[in-house]
Amino acid sequence: MSDWFSETENWAFLVIAVPMVLAAFRAVTSRNVVHSVLFLVVALAASAALFLLLGAEFVAWTVVLVYIGAVVVLFLFGIMITRAPLGTETQLSHNYQTKIGAALVSGALFALITVTTVRGFGDANLTARPTRADEIGQSMFERFVIPFEVVSVVLLAALIGGIVLARRDPVDGDEAVR
Amino acid sequence: MMISQFIIVGAALFSLGVYGVLTRRNAVLVLLSVELMLAAVNINFVAFDVYVNDQIAGGQIFSLFIIAVAAAEVGIGLAIVLLIFRNRHSANVDELDLMKL
Amino acid sequence: MLALLTNVNTLILATEEGGQAAEALSDGGTLASLAWLIPVVPMVAAFAIVFFGKRMPYKGWDIAIAVMGFEALYGTLLLLSHISSPIAKDFSVEIAKIGNMPIEWGWSVDGLSIMMYFVVGVVGFLVFVYAKGYMEGDVRFTWFFASFTLFAGGMLVLVSAPNFIQLIVGWELVGVASWLLIGHYWEEHENSSAAIKAFITNKVADVGLFVGAIMISMSVGSFRFSDVMHAIEGGAAEAPVLAQFAFWGGLALFIGAMGKSAQFPLHVWLPDAMAGPTPVSALMHAATMVTAGIYLIGRMFPLYAVEGFADEVRWVIIIVGALTLFLTGLIALVQDDIKKVLAYSTLSQLGYMMAAMGAGAYTAGLFHLFTHAFFKALLFLGAGSVIHSVHSNNMSDMGGLRKKMPQTFWTFVIGSAALAGIFPLAGFWSKDEILASFEYAGGHYTTAQGGAALGTAVLWIAIAGAFVTAFYMTRTVWLTFFGTYKGEAHPHESPKIMTYPLVGLAIGAAFFGLINMPGITEVFTDLVGGRAFAGFHDLEHHADGLNLVLAFVGTLAAGLGIYLGWRIWGPDRATQAERDTFRVNGLYPVLENKYYIDDFYMDGVIRPIRGPMARAVNWFNGHVLDFIVNGAGLLAKAVGRLVYWFDQRGLDAAINASGAATGAGGGALRLLQTGKVQQYAILIFAATVILVAGLVIWF
C-alpha cells in the first residue's frame, strides 16, 4: 500500500479523482440547476484528465470538445427553454424517503462493484500507454468502420429527429414555419 | 497504478449518477445524471483498454462511440423534454404519471 | 350334397367290438343319405300350404297328400331295404356350438327310426286321404292341412333326431301342432281351453324332458344319442359321471315322456283333446304323437336296461304304466261320447306300452306301438265316419247303424277285435308279447327284492286290463251299431274317400301281427331289436315260442269281457231303457268324474295360482320391488340436492374467494404502477443489484 503512494502517477490520480467525485456528488445534490451543470463540467474535465493520465490523448480531447463543448451547452439551453426555476429553488429533488431509498440502492451498487473488483483484480497494475491519433484512426477505419458508419447514421437520425420533434406545428392561417 | 482504482472511481461516478436519476425532479437534471453515468462507463472502457494493452484500441474507440451516441441521446432527450414542457408547462417528472393504473 | 356326405357320422355301433354274431350293418346307401328329406319336406310343405294353399286346385290338400304319399313311399322303401340288409347309421351336420358341445342337425336311419317313418308315413297317408272327405266344406280347410303337415314334419323331426337338441325341437313342434289342431274349432271356448290344457300339461312334463336331456348330455359331453350309447356300452365303471346322473336324468326323461304319452297322472289332456277334428285324434292322439314318449324311452333303452345306470327307474315306469293301463280303462266304461271311449282306450294301451318298457321288454312295447297305431287309427276314423253321418258324438244318439253303414261297421269290428286281442289279429300278438314280458319279469326281475312280486302283480293287472278292454269295446260296438237308431239325423254310409282308408287300416290291423309271431317270424324283433343296439348283450329277453298258457289266459279274459258286454248291452235285454241306465252305484260316479283328478288340478293347483298366489306376487311386485326401484330414484334425488347445496355453498364459495383474492392481490399490485418512471427505475436498479449480488456471492 505504501508503494502505491510512492508513485507520482498515483498522486496525480488522487488529485484528479477526488475533485471529480466531489463534483459529481454536488452535481446530483445541488439545489441550483446551473450549479449542477457546472459541477458536471468539472467532473467531465476531470475524466478527461484521467484519460490523459492513461495515455488516451485522442479520447481526452474528444471528451473536452464534444462533452463539455457541445453537450453541456445543450443542457444549458435546455434549462433555459424549459424555464427551470433559476437560482435556489426548493423542490429540485424528491422528499427524503425517496432519497434514502435511492441512496441505499446506489450505495449497494457501489459496494457491489467495489467488492467484486477488489476480489477480482486485487493488485493488478497497469501502465499508461500513449495512444496516437493515427493509431486510433487506423483502427477506426479498418476494424470499426461499420460501427463508425452506423453511428454517423445515428447522428443523422438524431439531427433530423431533434428538428422534427422540437418545431412548432403550423396553425391554420399562419405562415410557414421558419 | 492499479486497475482497481480506476474502476472504483468509475463505480463511484456511476453510483452517483444512479442516485441522481432516482432522486432529481427536473427532467433535464435526470438527463444530466445519465450523462454522469455514461462518463463513468467511458472511464471503465479506457482503463481496461490500457490494462489489456489492446492493439486495436478497441476500448478507446468504443468510448468514442459512446460519446457520440450520448450526444445524440441528449439532443433527442432535450427535444422531448421541450415538447413535454410545451404540453404541461412544467418539466417535473413527478407530474408525468399518465401511465399509472 | 357332397358337404352333407362329408359330414357323415357313422353310428359307432356299426363298427365296434360287438364281436358276437353281429351281422355287418350297412350304411343304407343313397336311400339313407337322402333321408334328410323325410323331416324337411313336410316342414317346407307346411309353409307352402300356408302361402299357396288357397290358390291350389284342391285348396292345399294336394300338397299335403303328395307329401304324405312321399313319406309313405320312402318309409316303405327304407323298411324293405332294412329288411334285406339292416341299416344303422347316423348323419349329422354341425350348425353351432355351445362351449365344446356341438349342436347338430341330422337324421338317423336305423331300425327304430325306420319303423317310425313307416308308421307315420303309411298311417298318415291314409288319415290324410280320409281327412279330405271329413273336413270337406270346413271354413279353415287349408289352414287345417297346413297345421297337419306341420305336425307330420315335427313328428318326423322328432323320430329322425340323432341328438337331444333335435329331439326337443321335434317334441315342441308336435306340441305346437297339437295345440293348433285341437283348437281347430276355436269358436267354442271349450275347444280352445282343451288346446291350452294339452299344451300346458305337456309343458309341465317338458321340464322333465329338458332337465333329463341336459343331465345326460352334460355327463356324457355330447348331445348325440350314439355317444350316450357308446358311453353306456363300456359299463358303469367306464362312465362314472353318466352313471352318477343316470338315475335322475332317466327319471326326468321319463317325466317328459309321461306328459307326451299321457301317463297317469298327466293323462288329463288327452280326453279333452278329442275336441279336435277326428282325423287329428286318429293320427296324433292315437297313432303318433302320443307314442313319442314311448319312442323316447325306446331310444334311451340301454340307459334303462344296463345295470348301474338308470335301471332303477324301471320300477317307476312299470308302476306308472300299470296304473295308467287299468284306471283309465275303467273310465272308458262310463263314457257316452264315442271319441272319449276311444281316448281312454288309447290311454290304457299307452299304459301297456309303457309298462312293457318298464319290464324291460323293449321290443314288445314297440311292437304294440306299431300294431296299436293301425287299429286305433282305424277305430277313430270309423268313429269319425259315424259322427260325420249322425252329426253327434254321443252314443245315446246312435244305434242300429250296422245296416246303414256296413263298411264302417265291419272295419270297426275288426279294429275292436284287434284291440281286444283276438287271435289272429294284430293286437293279439302284440298284447300277448307284453303279457309274456310281464311274466318273465315276474320270474326274473333284474333288480332284486320285490321285483318278482311286482312283475307278477303287473301281469294280473294287465290280464284284468284285457278283460276291461274287451268289455268296453263290446259295449261301444253294441251301443253304436246294434239296436234301433235313437237320433234325429239321416245316417248314411260315408263317401269312398273316407271308407277306403278304413279298409286299408283294417288290413293292417288284421295282418300286421303276423310279422312277429314268436318262434315263427321274428321280423319286427329283428327290425327293431337286436341290431339297433348291437353293442349291448342281452338287452332283453325273447321267448323262443308262443307261451300257450298266457295266450290262452289272455284270450279267456278277452272272451269274458265280450261275453259280459254282450250280456249287459246286447239286444237280448228286455228293454233298451234298462240297458241304457245300467249303473253300478258306488263305482260309476267316481269313474264319471275321472277320479276327481281334473278337479284336483283345477282347485288344488290352477285356482290357487290364479287367485291368491297371483295377487300375492302382484303385491310383492308393487310394494317391495317397486319400492326398491322408487327408493333408488328418491335416493338419487336426495343425493342430487345435497350435491347442489355443496356446489352452491362450498365450491362456489371457494371459487368466489379465489376470485376475490385475485382481485385483492391485483388491487394491491396496482399500487406499484404509479406511472412515475423514477419509481420503476428504483425498483429495476434494486432488483439488479440484488440479483448480481446473489450471483457474486454464490460464485
Side-chain angles (χ1 to χ4, degrees), chain A residues 39-63:
Chain A
F39 278 125
L40 179 73
V41 171
V42 171
L44 288 172
S47 80
L50 270 183
F51 289 150
L52 281 175
L53 196 63
L54 284 170
E57 301 157 354
F58 186 75
V59 181
W61 195 230
T62 308
V63 164

Side-chain angles (χ1 to χ4, degrees), chain B residues 24-89:
Chain B
R24 290 304 214 175
R25 277 177 72 197
N26 194 330
V28 178
L29 292 177
V30 170
L31 278 169
L32 194 118
S33 311
V34 173
E35 283 307 308
L36 206 52
M37 288 160 76
L38 288 168
V41 170
N42 274 346
I43 294 175
N44 238 20
F45 267 111
V46 173
F48 269 114
D49 180 85
V50 172
Y51 175 68
V52 171
N53 221 350
D54 200 354
Q55 287 310 306
I56 53 174
Q60 293 179 42
I61 289 176
F62 205 72
S63 71
L64 289 173
F65 287 142
I66 292 176
I67 294 167
V69 173
E73 171 229 331
V74 168
I76 299 290
L78 283 175
I80 292 174
V81 170
L82 202 67
L83 282 177
I84 292 173
F85 178 74
R86 276 192 205 150
N87 242 318
R88 299 179 159 272
H89 300 285

Side-chain angles (χ1 to χ4, degrees), chain C residues 646-664:
Chain C
F646 178 70
D647 181 60
Q648 291 296 100
R649 299 301 196 77
L651 287 180
D652 277 359
I655 292 172
N656 289 345
S658 81
T662 310

Side-chain angles (χ1 to χ4, degrees), chain B residues 18 21-24 30 37 93-94 96-97 99-101, chain C residues 669-670 673-683 685:
Chain B
V18 170
V21 165
L22 297 176
T23 312
R24 290 304 214 175
V30 170
M37 288 160 76
V93 295
D94 268 357
L96 301 175
D97 61 353
M99 290 269 287
K100 83 166 181 182
L101 279 182
Chain C
L669 285 172
R670 180 176 65 88
Q673 302 271 10
T674 54
K676 295 191 180 146
V677 181
Q678 282 171 326
Q679 288 196 350
Y680 298 164
I682 196 172
L683 287 171
F685 278 115

Side-chain angles (χ1 to χ4, degrees), chain C residues 13 20-23 25 82 86 111 362-363 522-540 542:
Chain C
L13 308 173
Q20 45 148 298
E23 298 170 35
L25 293 161
H82 184 78
Y362 151 89
T363 312
E522 296 265 337
V523 178
F524 194 86
T525 312
D526 290 343
L527 178 75
V528 162
R531 290 169 188 158
F533 298 118
F536 297 92
H537 316 298
D538 282 338
L539 211 50
E540 56 167 356
H542 285 116

Side-chain angles (χ1 to χ4, degrees), chain C residues 493-516:
Chain C
E493 184 56 272
S494 302
K496 292 208 185 45
I497 196 163
M498 285 166 66
T499 54
Y500 280 5
L502 290 177
V503 174
L505 287 170
I507 293 173
F511 296 113
F512 278 170
L514 303 176
I515 69 172
N516 209 45

Side-chain angles (χ1 to χ4, degrees), chain A residues 4 81 91-92 129 139 166, chain B residues 5 25 53 56 82 86:
Chain A
W4 190 78
I81 290 177
Q91 288 284 299
L92 275 181
R129 176 174 65 113
S139 182
Chain B
Q5 65 201 41
R25 277 177 72 197
N53 221 350
I56 53 174
L82 202 67
R86 276 192 205 150

